[in-house]
Amino acid sequence: MQKKKLLNGTIKRHPDGFGFFIPDDIGHPDVYIPRNSMEGIMTNDKVVIEAFPEKGTERFRGEIIRILSRGTKTVVGRFYKMNERVGAIRDEGKGWGQDLKIKLEDSLNAKDKELVAAEILTYPEEGKSFTGKVTEIIGDALDPLTDIKRVIRSNNIPLEFSKETLEEAKHFNEVPDEKDFKGRRDLRDKSLITIDGATAKDFDDAVYVEVTDEGFLLFVAIADVSHYVRIGSAIDKDAYERGTSVYFPNYVVPMLPEVLSNGLCSLNPHVPRLCLVAEMLFDFTGEMKRSDFYEAVMESKARVTYGEAQEIIDGNEVEKHSHVKENILRLSDLAKILMAKRFKEGSLDLEIPETELVIDGAGVPVDIQRSERLFSHRLIEEMMLAANVGVAKFLSSRNIPALYRIHEPPNEMAIRVLEKYMANFGSKTKLGQGKLQKRLTKALEEFENRPEAQILHILTLRSMSQAKYSMNNVGHFGLGFEFYTHFTSPIRRYPDLIVHRLLKNQVMPNSGYRLMSEDDLSTAGTILSAAEQRSTKAERQVQSIKKARFMEKFVGQEFDGMISSVAKFGIFVLLREYDVDGLVRLDDLGGERFEYDEENLRLVAKRSGFAYAIGDKIRIQVAAADPELGQINFVLAGLEKEESDEERTSAQATAESFLKKLHGQQKERSGRPDRRDKRDERRDQGPGKRRGEREERREERGAFAKGGGRKDSRQEFTKKSKDREEERPFKKDQKSKFFGDSRKDEQGQREKIHKIEKQYGFKPGAREDDEKRGPDQSLLNMILGPEKYRKSEEETPSKDKPKLSKKLMFAEQSKLRDNDDYSEKNSDSLKHRTPDRKDSKKRGKTANDRGGVRKARLSSGRGKGKTR
């Protein structure tokens, strides 16, 4: 067992209050920092921690020892006037831990809600408060929805509610009427609680569990949206058109008006709310013994965040939730039993990290991090899965047309490709033998706690078909359930609202809720599946745009990363420090020519055998970031050039290529001894030495090819290549007489001129040995055109131009706008490409097969998994 150790690194503060520590030591895994050690710590602070491994796992937990330096000096946000003496900039991104207090005398007379820049004066440490002063008044708050509105409009997502809907919403009260309680079970004495993300505003599920002699009696209470949203009403029509709420950073396009989504239908603490309850009894092995469904009235006893629930599960005291502590611990026990049963029966456990965008009050991304999956997330997921399965089984037992959440098995080709990926990583498991879910789980377990695990989980998810809504129940492959539906989120998913109405029709025969025809259900399944895919696409696009906007400030800087995907047009690299991926184009991979090895799914250098494969670690430089397109381009770190590529026409590029080719041929000829002389020399050396030379070259090639990108092999190959270059008699200061300079090898020039005459049908004119004159006028006129040449003479000499990165300038100028193959647009979903080898026009086109199980989402404003 490893001992405690001191580590230096950077801290990332999660909205729930706990932290994630990224060590400076690349070889050490990230470290989880609990809430009680994050007091006064802000995102991007440099700290020293004491790290120690958790028992039975490879995960590390740590305690902060001291702060080395602060990562945040100034902040930007809206200024809020609190009283006559103090104002504040709110911690909207949850990256500071508390609001920044500003005395009015230090506010530069900023108006309420005006956008300001502020300098931090004191940090919240050693009893000090978090204070600052306004240094600049920017003006009216910039619209944080500029990027979001564009995505909303481009995806045809309804943004405004109809006038009729807004009129109907005015008639709802802030609290339920007493008459609505009639006929409902009263659960207000039960210690039901909500567990959600710190930034969540709508709470549509509450949970409570009791332990009996028979097992665990679980209550899952879901907001009774169907009571307020009647079929055929304006609110219902708008909700059906939207299909789902769409969650963006710091902004939501809701499915229902706010009076319902954040009011009557939100299970806020300490107020009565109408709900639909799934009451289920599980034995101590996790088997459901019976279930009951009914309308009720409840009152949440606490609004608990995931971080607070985790603290209680870990054995720490959270004083404000001491009255619900036992309920949380019982829920934890039941969740562990249900998880063990589910995985034993073949449910896939895909850990796909979600992206956490930290946005300031102006809508500007200030940090990007991977969401941390705590056990408290799994806890609430298991309760929701249990309720969804219970309702699906009940509806199926009634033999009525219903709407199910289905996930079909992946096709055979996708599994073969995935098996090939895993074999390249070293997996020994064959996916074609036995139950596929169990084989996949076994294969993924081989890579547990290894850097490749995250990539393989993503590749596995990509190989799956996409989950959807359908009346034809074929089960859920990813979860391993024969019966599954969506019941637990009617505030933000219309399919759940349909299921509520169908359920009420069966448990409350005289309620007035009616069944749906098979045709209507089939149509609804198609429309609502499309609405879900539309919202997922929009959320992904905004993430790409915000990531690109965030990376703009890092253009030119270098980062460590891992190759997450390989395609014919380049490699995608996932950064270690930020949850950001970008493209290194094929042309930017160095001087060698790389080819796509479809059999082994990698890019291989044709000459040397050097290869780029998924999982390889690599250091890159940020070349360009385009927020408009949501694209980020990388180049390999350390590649430089002397001249800028600005305003280079295609003719110039062709001419440059032509001239480089001629120079290269001349260098090769002048630096290489005559073949006859070389044969004579080798003859004099004898067969033994010649055989030794062949073996040496063979060893060089073998060592480099087997290296597969390893640094030592590459360095050895480069060193030997340089040694051979130094032995050549070619002098670097020699230039071709044909291009304006004298050269000793006149025979080589005559051969060059003869070759050009034969290939291009013209003879160069007489030239003088004058360096200032430059290339032959007629040649340049032919290649560049006389007007372009005159212009080029007036430009600044290349020696006076700033030395810039060749790849940086190229990527920044082209931005890949003319590359049709670049269709993935750097999305964090890491889409794969499906080749069509028969039709050349279809080769290399992308296909978005991302689907399957989505784990808990921790993005700002959502805080819940799609399984809920």
Side-chain angles (χ1 to χ4, degrees):
M1 182 175 177
Q2 301 182 51
K3 298 181 180 180
K4 294 181 179 180
K5 59 177 72 173
L6 294 180
L7 297 172
N8 292 359
T10 306
I11 203 75
K12 301 289 184 180
R13 186 183 185 91
H14 191 275
D16 271 342
F18 57 85
F20 219 43
F21 175 83
I22 302 175
D24 291 340
D25 179 8
I26 297 178
H28 196 283
D30 294 346
V31 181
Y32 170 76
I33 309 295
R35 290 174 75 250
N36 54 18
S37 185
M38 288 293 293
E39 187 69 31
I41 305 298
M42 301 169 62
T43 286
N44 292 328
D45 285 350
K46 292 286 186 180
V47 298
V48 178
I49 70 162
E50 185 180 53
F52 50 93
E54 295 183 345
K55 293 183 179 179
T57 72
E58 296 294 327
R59 173 172 159 171
F60 278 78
R61 178 180 290 256
E63 297 289 334
I64 295 177
I65 304 300
R66 64 179 177 274
I67 300 171
L68 297 177
S69 64
R70 292 289 186 174
T72 306
K73 309 292 185 183
T74 60
V75 297
V76 176
R78 288 188 175 99
F79 177 84
Y80 292 88
K81 189 175 180 180
M82 310 299 291
N83 52 46
E84 296 302 318
R85 293 180 301 158
V86 178
I89 297 178
R90 294 178 182 171
D91 182 20
E92 298 186 49
K94 303 295 181 182
W96 312 337
Q98 55 184 281
D99 297 340
L100 179 69
K101 299 293 191 304
I102 298 174
K103 295 180 180 179
L104 291 188
E105 60 199 58
D106 294 330
S107 68
L108 296 182
N109 297 320
K111 299 177 182 178
D112 191 47
K113 298 183 180 179
E114 198 168 28
L115 193 66
V116 300
E119 176 188 355
I120 298 175
L121 298 178
T122 59
Y123 292 88
E125 57 182 330
E126 298 178 358
K128 298 180 181 178
S129 57
F130 190 32
T131 65
K133 67 175 182 179
V134 175
T135 57
E136 181 184 3
I137 297 177
I138 299 175
D140 292 337
L142 300 176
D143 186 357
L145 307 179
T146 302
D147 297 329
I148 294 173
K149 283 182 178 177
R150 174 162 55 92
V151 171
I152 289 173
R153 297 304 184 191
S154 66
N155 286 281
N156 296 316
I157 296 173
L159 185 59
E160 294 84 15
F161 287 106
S162 65
K163 293 181 180 179
E164 293 79 9
T165 293
L166 296 176
E167 189 62 33
E168 286 182 4
K170 292 179 181 178
H171 296 87
F172 291 112
N173 300 321
E174 294 183 0
V175 294
D177 295 330
E178 286 289 336
K179 63 180 181 180
D180 294 329
F181 299 167
K182 185 178 180 181
R184 293 176 177 266
R185 295 193 195 181
D186 193 341
L187 299 183
R188 282 177 286 186
D189 60 328
K190 302 287 185 184
S191 294
L192 285 152
I193 61 171
T194 61
I195 302 178
D196 290 271
T199 58
K201 295 181 179 179
D202 55 344
F203 315 112
D204 47 14
D205 54 73
V207 291
Y208 171 71
V209 68
E210 296 175 351
V211 178
T212 68
D213 293 339
E214 299 178 89
F216 296 90
L217 184 61
L218 174 65
F219 296 81
V220 178
I222 307 299
D224 193 357
V225 177
S226 61
H227 178 83
Y228 301 102
V229 181
R230 299 294 181 175
I231 297 175
S233 64
I235 292 178
D236 184 58
K237 291 177 181 178
D238 275 6
Y240 186 72
E241 182 184 6
R242 294 169 183 237
T244 179
S245 296
V246 189
Y247 291 84
F248 300 113
N250 290 5
Y251 185 74
V252 180
V253 180
M255 188 180 79
L256 301 174
E258 186 175 1
V259 67
L260 294 177
S261 60
N262 291 353
L264 278 172
C265 295
S266 182
L267 306 181
N268 300 321
H270 312 302
V271 291
R273 288 289 185 259
L274 306 184
C275 60
L276 188 59
V277 177
E279 181 182 324
M280 297 160 287
L281 177 65
F282 296 90
D283 64 19
F284 292 106
T285 67
E287 191 71 34
M288 185 187 296
K289 292 301 182 181
R290 67 172 186 267
S291 61
D292 191 16
F293 309 96
Y294 50 84
E295 290 183 324
V297 56
M298 61 155 288
E299 185 176 300
S300 172
K301 296 300 186 289
R303 180 264 198 269
V304 184
T305 69
Y306 290 119
E308 292 166 344
Q310 188 63 47
E311 290 293 307
I312 293 173
I313 294 169
D314 289 343
N316 299 320
E317 291 295 329
V318 180
E319 187 175 348
K320 66 177 180 178
H321 295 319
S322 59
H323 61 296
V324 295
K325 174 182 176 180
E326 293 303 318
N327 181 29
I328 293 174
L329 295 177
R330 291 194 298 267
L331 287 166
S332 174
D333 292 339
L334 175 58
K336 292 174 183 176
I337 294 173
L338 294 177
M339 281 174 58
K341 180 178 182 297
R342 181 161 62 87
F343 294 145
K344 182 180 178 181
E345 294 176 352
S347 182
L348 293 179
D349 185 22
L350 296 180
E351 285 290 343
I352 309 299
E354 296 286 345
T355 298
E356 192 79 36
L357 294 174
V358 181
I359 310 294
D360 67 16
V364 178
V366 296
D367 194 22
I368 296 176
Q369 53 187 273
R370 295 178 182 88
S371 299
E372 170 67 356
R373 289 260 298 157
L374 304 175
F375 178 75
S376 56
H377 293 101
R378 289 181 172 273
L379 179 155
I380 203 67
E381 274 184 10
E382 291 301 325
M383 304 304 114
M384 300 303 106
L385 290 173
N388 289 336
V389 169
V391 172
K393 285 183 176 180
F394 176 81
L395 293 176
S396 179
S397 69
R398 294 299 180 105
N399 294 318
I400 62 171
L403 194 63
Y404 298 93
R405 179 69 169 178
I406 67 170
H407 183 216
E408 297 172 312
N411 62 63
E412 186 178 348
M413 178 63 72
I415 291 301
R416 283 207 300 265
V417 172
L418 179 62
E419 188 176 58
K420 192 179 298 183
Y421 272 122
M422 290 184 169
N424 289 342
F425 277 97
S427 174
K428 305 298 182 183
T429 304
K430 299 297 182 183
L431 301 181
Q433 304 170 358
K435 190 174 181 180
L436 181 56
Q437 290 102 320
K438 291 187 177 181
R439 304 301 295 179
L440 281 171
T441 299
K442 182 179 178 181
L444 293 173
E445 285 176 352
E446 296 181 42
F447 301 93
E448 191 173 358
N449 300 315
R450 286 172 54 181
E452 302 94 331
Q454 178 184 345
I455 303 298
L456 281 176
H457 280 257
I458 293 173
L459 293 173
T460 303
L461 183 60
R462 282 170 45 190
S463 71
M464 301 290 155
S465 58
Q466 196 163 32
K468 58 185 179 181
Y469 298 103
S470 175
M471 62 164 292
N472 300 316
N473 181 31
V474 298
H476 199 292
F477 173 82
L479 293 173
F481 293 148
E482 184 180 356
F483 303 95
Y484 191 68
T485 190
H486 271 173
F487 161 76
T488 55
S489 296
I491 291 178
R492 55 176 168 265
R493 291 190 308 226
Y494 197 89
D496 302 57
L497 185 54
I498 291 177
V499 170
H500 276 226
R501 290 165 177 165
L502 296 176
L503 186 62
K504 285 188 175 184
N505 172 270
Q506 296 298 300
V507 300
M508 302 165 53
N510 300 321
S511 61
Y513 294 92
R514 61 176 184 268
L515 297 177
M516 295 178 65
S517 68
E518 292 186 1
D519 287 344
D520 288 343
L521 278 173
S522 179
T523 300
T526 302
I527 292 174
L528 297 173
S529 294
E532 179 195 32
Q533 293 163 17
R534 177 183 65 187
S535 69
T536 300
K537 177 184 176 183
E539 292 168 2
R540 199 173 293 153
Q541 285 178 348
V542 169
Q543 281 203 349
S544 297
I545 290 170
K546 294 296 186 184
K547 286 181 178 181
R549 196 174 293 283
F550 176 75
M551 293 303 293
E552 278 185 306
K553 60 187 175 183
F554 295 115
V555 169
Q557 295 190 30
E558 296 183 359
F559 293 91
D560 291 312
M562 179 187 294
I563 297 177
S564 58
S565 183
V566 177
K568 294 180 180 179
F569 52 85
I571 59 175
F572 283 90
V573 178
L574 183 65
L575 300 186
R576 179 176 179 269
E577 186 171 350
Y578 299 105
D579 189 15
V580 171
D581 65 328
L583 174 70
V584 182
R585 289 185 47 182
L586 194 64
D587 294 339
D588 298 335
L589 289 176
E592 293 199 76
R593 179 182 176 184
F594 286 84
E595 293 183 346
Y596 182 61
D597 181 2
E598 189 173 357
E599 181 67 24
N600 297 301
L601 306 168
R602 57 181 186 162
L603 288 175
V604 183
K606 190 174 182 180
R607 185 175 60 185
S608 66
F610 183 80
Y612 288 104
I614 292 177
D616 287 349
K617 293 181 180 179
I618 190 172
R619 188 164 181 82
I620 57 87
Q621 181 186 30
V622 182
D626 189 342
E628 183 178 354
L629 299 177
Q631 295 178 356
I632 303 169
N633 301 320
F634 298 149
V635 296
L636 300 183
L639 296 182
E640 299 291 334
K641 73 161 284 188
E642 293 186 358
E643 295 182 4
S644 169
D645 287 321
E646 288 185 342
E647 301 180 1
R648 225 166 43 113
T649 66
S650 59
Q652 285 175 301
T654 304
E656 181 180 312
S657 177
F658 172 68
L659 298 177
K660 281 184 178 179
K661 182 178 180 181
L662 292 180
H663 279 302
Q665 291 173 347
Q666 184 60 39
K667 285 183 181 180
E668 184 178 356
R669 249 196 312 273
S670 63
R672 188 173 59 225
D674 184 85
R675 293 182 180 178
R676 287 170 295 184
D677 296 338
K678 195 168 185 177
R679 283 199 301 268
D680 293 339
E681 181 183 348
R682 289 167 58 83
R683 191 181 297 113
D684 294 338
Q685 290 173 350
K689 187 167 184 180
R690 293 199 300 272
R691 185 165 54 252
E693 289 177 348
R694 287 197 299 272
E695 291 174 355
E696 182 181 358
R697 288 195 299 271
R698 191 178 300 113
E699 289 173 358
E700 289 175 0
R701 290 194 298 269
F704 187 73
K706 289 179 181 178
R710 291 196 293 266
K711 186 175 180 181
D712 54 348
S713 299
R714 194 172 189 179
Q715 289 176 341
E716 182 182 355
F717 181 85
T718 304
K719 181 178 182 301
K720 292 184 177 180
S721 299
K722 289 182 177 179
D723 292 340
R724 287 196 294 270
E725 280 287 336
E726 293 173 357
E727 293 172 2
R728 295 177 183 172
F730 173 74
K731 297 180 180 179
K732 293 185 178 181
D733 59 350
Q734 288 181 338
K735 296 184 180 179
S736 170
K737 181 178 180 180
F738 178 72
F739 292 101
D741 294 320
S742 63
R743 191 179 182 90
K744 295 179 181 179
D745 189 359
E746 296 179 358
Q747 177 64 26
Q749 295 312 305
R750 286 195 293 271
E751 291 178 4
K752 182 188 295 292
I753 294 172
H754 175 71
K755 183 175 181 180
I756 293 175
E757 289 177 357
K758 183 178 179 181
Q759 185 172 356
Y760 294 94
F762 72 90
K763 183 175 181 179
R767 299 181 55 84
E768 299 176 359
D769 293 337
D770 182 5
E771 291 185 0
K772 295 182 180 179
R773 183 183 176 191
D776 178 75
Q777 182 70 43
S778 61
L779 176 60
L780 281 173
N781 285 348
M782 176 176 291
I783 297 175
L784 301 179
E787 182 179 354
K788 187 66 183 177
Y789 178 59
R790 288 195 299 271
K791 182 179 178 182
S792 67
E793 288 183 323
E794 299 171 359
E795 293 176 348
T796 304
S798 61
K799 65 180 181 179
D800 296 329
K801 295 181 181 180
K803 293 184 178 182
L804 301 173
S805 166
K806 175 180 178 181
K807 304 307 177 184
L808 174 58
M809 293 303 304
F810 177 79
E812 195 162 6
Q813 290 301 314
S814 66
K815 292 186 179 177
L816 309 178
R817 288 190 176 118
D818 297 326
N819 188 349
D820 292 335
D821 287 338
Y822 183 55
S823 57
E824 295 190 18
K825 296 187 178 180
N826 290 357
S827 69
D828 54 296
S829 63
L830 300 175
K831 306 171 188 174
H832 73 283
R833 302 174 65 82
T834 306
D836 187 338
R837 301 190 63 81
K838 294 182 179 180
D839 187 350
S840 61
K841 294 182 179 180
K842 296 181 180 179
R843 290 178 188 172
K845 290 189 177 180
T846 60
N848 181 5
D849 290 334
R850 180 181 176 112
V853 190
R854 290 292 301 273
K855 293 296 182 179
R857 185 182 182 88
L858 298 178
S859 57
S860 186
R862 190 163 198 165
K864 299 182 180 180
K866 289 202 172 186
T867 53
R868 300 178 65 177

